[in-house]
């Protein structure tokens, strides 16, 4: 009787780290929050530097609610990845990819308007970890180690 696992080393690592996918998505979510925080700091800094001459961006309460809900929905991707079923992993992949794409395009559009450092921050804080999260989720779905997951 062999003491070795019938799975290859990469498959064993994938099955022994069920929270790895959720950590990748959590890192991307934290990156999105950092991006928004830095973007607000850049805006306030420009406003102070211009001695209040920069027109203030004002939002209606409905728009603020949508803004918070949009960035708050990153946690849904993390929770879906934590569930661990195949269906939940597909949902995390689809929702997470959409969030990465929308946040990246939004950050680049803001960067074209406000400065290159905003666009760079979006790519660095959202796109870079997002690509790793997408790749890890895709690899987890396609590996033999995920075939044991029900759902």
């Amino acid at each position: 009787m062999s003491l070795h696992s019938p799975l290859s080393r990469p498959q064993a690592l994938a099955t022994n780290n069920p929270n790895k996918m959720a950590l990748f998505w959590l890192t991307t979510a934290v990156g999105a929050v950092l991006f928004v925080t830095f973007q607000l700091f850049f805006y306030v800094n420009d406003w102070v530097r211009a001695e209040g001459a920069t027109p203030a961006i004002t939002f209606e309460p409905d728009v603020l609610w949508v803004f918070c809900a949009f960035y708050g929905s990153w946690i849904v991707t993390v929770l879906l990845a934590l569930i661990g079923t195949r269906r939940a992993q597909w949902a995390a992949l689809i929702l997470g990819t959409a969030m990465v794409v929308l946040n990246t395009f939004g950050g680049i559009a803001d960067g074209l308007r406000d400065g290159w450092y905003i666009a760079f921050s979006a790519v660095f804080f959202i796109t870079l970890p997002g690509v790793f999260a997408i790749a890890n989720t895709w690899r987890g779905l396609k590996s033999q180690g995920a075939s044991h997951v029900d759902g």
Side-chain angles (χ1 to χ4, degrees), residues 14-15 17-22 25 76-98 133-151:
T15 57
N17 294 320
N19 297 326
K20 185 177 179 182
M21 188 183 308
W25 286 114
V76 174
T77 305
V78 177
L79 292 173
L80 286 170
L82 278 173
I83 291 172
T85 64
R86 206 160 166 77
R87 186 175 295 137
Q89 289 174 356
W90 274 107
L93 178 65
I94 292 166
L95 178 63
T97 301
I134 291 166
N136 180 268
T137 304
W138 183 254
R139 189 176 332 121
L141 283 167
K142 293 300 174 185
S143 73
Q144 294 290 13
S147 65
H148 73 283
V149 179
D150 63 340

Side-chain angles (χ1 to χ4, degrees), residues 36-131:
V36 171
T37 303
F38 284 149
Q39 185 179 20
L40 291 173
F41 283 144
F42 292 143
Y43 174 76
V44 170
N45 188 42
D46 289 343
W47 185 76
V48 169
R49 202 178 304 168
E51 297 176 5
T54 304
I57 298 174
T58 58
F59 298 103
E60 297 295 322
D62 293 340
V63 174
L64 284 176
W65 183 86
V66 170
F67 184 76
C68 293
F70 179 73
Y71 280 97
S73 64
W74 272 105
I75 197 68
V76 174
T77 305
V78 177
L79 292 173
L80 286 170
L82 278 173
I83 291 172
T85 64
R86 206 160 166 77
R87 186 175 295 137
Q89 289 174 356
W90 274 107
L93 178 65
I94 292 166
L95 178 63
T97 301
M99 294 291 290
V100 168
V101 168
L102 290 173
N103 280 267
T104 299
F105 284 152
I108 290 173
D110 289 343
L112 292 174
R113 181 189 66 218
D114 298 333
W116 67 269
Y117 46 88
I118 300 289
F120 175 78
S121 296
V123 171
F124 186 74
F125 288 116
I126 299 169
T127 309
L128 183 64
V131 167

